[in-house]
Amino acid sequence: MGGPDEHPRMLPPDSHVHTEWSWDAPYGSMERTCARAIELGLPSVAFTEHADMTGWVTPQDAQRPPAWDRFVTGGVLVPPPIDLQGYNASLERCRERYPGLRIYSGVELSEPHWHSERSSSLLQAGEFERVLASVHSARRATGSGFEEVSSSFADHTPDQVVRDYLDETVRLVEQFDNFEVLAHIDYPVRYWPGHDRPYDPLNFEDQYRHVLRVLASADKVLELNTKVPLHPQILLWWHQEGGQAITFASDAHDPESLAHGFVEAVRTAQAAGFRPGPDPLGVWRRT
């Protein structure tokens, strides 16, 4: 590929995708996502289903998708485990039906440093080809237990939510090594309150750089997640702090969202100094 303004000849692999085998993806479909990948000309797709092991305290008046209600007991939402048997059977069907598409098995581990034994057991049982690690949960400001990060904005300033999130992300990287890619480093930004001042990563530069240094030292890969486009500044910091590689991730929970925003993400990656290697299925590396 050429400079940042060149339109990509081929979209990169989508390395973070959810289907019906993720508990929070009621509109997901592995088969229809594969068909969409073929339509878009993607070289590969990784089905990284959710492994959320932290229960979230959810008040009765909390807003949540009605489909989640069946997972709530005693005011705590406990996500179900992955149905590995069903998931693997679906993978095999799709691989047989779409032989021209490289389909990777995968998992997204939430807070694996809080659940190291369960996470390690799942990895051993699943034998996944792609392993992401992420933070979706936060310690509650009042009372005991945990809550989904989006709920933290009710009791904390937006700045504090982001700072706490980045601090927890550092602990994840330092305390759990059995993963390849850090997912959505900017996850709280998805829920940044509209009435507050706009989100600006420069207000958190020290915290972001610290996470990125620790991640680079651990020889991990940073994900360029396009659900909310990763700010170009963070990718520049990743390059400056020694980051070697990135993946592209739509974080799609339905087939229509596959590879969403990838054309612009490719330009962002190129501008930050990352390029594809000789393997079209591989990560992008720094120049």
Side-chain angles (χ1 to χ4, degrees):
M1 295 189 178
D5 293 330
E6 181 180 334
H7 193 284
R9 292 190 294 271
M10 176 186 289
L11 292 177
D14 197 334
S15 298
H16 182 167
V17 181
H18 299 282
T19 72
E20 69 270 32
W21 303 104
S22 284
W23 66 273
D24 66 339
Y27 303 108
S29 167
M30 189 178 289
E31 292 202 11
R32 288 193 292 113
T33 299
C34 289
R36 178 63 174 158
I38 295 291
E39 179 184 342
L40 293 172
L42 293 184
S44 69
V45 63
F47 292 119
T48 52
E49 311 298 354
H50 279 299
D52 295 326
M53 302 175 189
T54 304
W56 298 327
V57 175
T58 57
Q60 285 187 334
D61 59 350
Q63 294 184 351
R64 59 175 178 263
W68 292 16
D69 289 343
R70 66 184 186 279
F71 305 125
V72 178
T73 303
V76 177
L77 189 156
V78 180
I82 299 173
D83 175 2
L84 282 179
Q85 183 176 358
Y87 170 74
N88 286 325
S90 183
L91 277 176
E92 291 308 310
R93 286 195 302 272
C94 287
R95 285 168 174 165
E96 291 177 6
R97 185 171 182 180
Y98 301 98
L101 176 66
R102 181 62 169 93
I103 301 171
Y104 290 98
S105 66
V107 67
E108 181 184 2
L109 299 170
S110 296
E111 301 88 48
H113 58 308
W114 296 352
H115 313 280
S116 57
E117 289 188 9
R118 290 178 62 190
S119 296
S120 297
S121 295
L122 175 61
L123 294 181
Q124 184 175 9
E127 299 181 337
F128 303 102
E129 297 170 288
R130 296 287 184 267
V131 179
L132 315 181
S134 61
V135 175
H136 293 114
S137 308
R139 291 174 173 83
R140 299 180 69 212
T142 57
S144 60
F146 303 90
E147 61 190 0
E148 211 275 341
V149 166
S150 60
S151 299
S152 298
F153 287 98
D155 300 307
H156 295 88
T157 65
D159 281 17
Q160 190 62 50
V161 172
V162 173
R163 295 182 196 283
D164 288 349
Y165 183 88
L166 294 174
D167 287 345
E168 195 61 58
T169 302
V170 169
R171 287 189 282 271
L172 185 163
V173 179
E174 291 179 336
Q175 297 173 18
F176 188 85
D177 185 59
N178 204 1
F179 73 98
E180 301 165 277
V181 180
L182 178 69
H184 49 57
I185 191 174
D186 59 345
Y187 183 72
V189 180
R190 299 182 183 184
Y191 309 104
W192 188 273
H195 59 77
D196 205 83
R197 60 179 171 77
Y199 161 76
D200 184 348
L202 291 173
N203 294 328
F204 312 99
E205 179 175 357
D206 291 344
Q207 287 79 13
Y208 272 119
R209 283 187 177 272
H210 182 45
V211 175
L212 296 171
R213 279 195 299 272
V214 172
L215 194 66
S217 296
D219 197 26
K220 304 300 183 185
V221 177
L222 181 69
E223 175 184 276
L224 199 170
N225 194 295
T226 62
K227 193 142 190 173
V228 171
L230 182 68
H231 197 288
Q233 184 63 63
I234 296 175
L235 211 56
L236 288 170
W237 290 335
W238 174 235
H239 193 283
Q240 292 167 7
E241 296 296 341
Q244 296 297 313
I246 63 169
T247 59
F248 294 82
S250 67
D251 207 347
H253 284 59
D254 58 77
E256 292 71 28
S257 300
L258 187 70
H260 173 75
F262 271 27
V263 171
E264 183 58 37
V266 163
R267 296 193 182 103
T268 298
Q270 291 173 331
F274 293 89
R275 295 292 188 277
D279 180 5
L281 307 183
V283 299
W284 281 34
R285 296 196 174 275
R286 63 185 290 144
T287 54

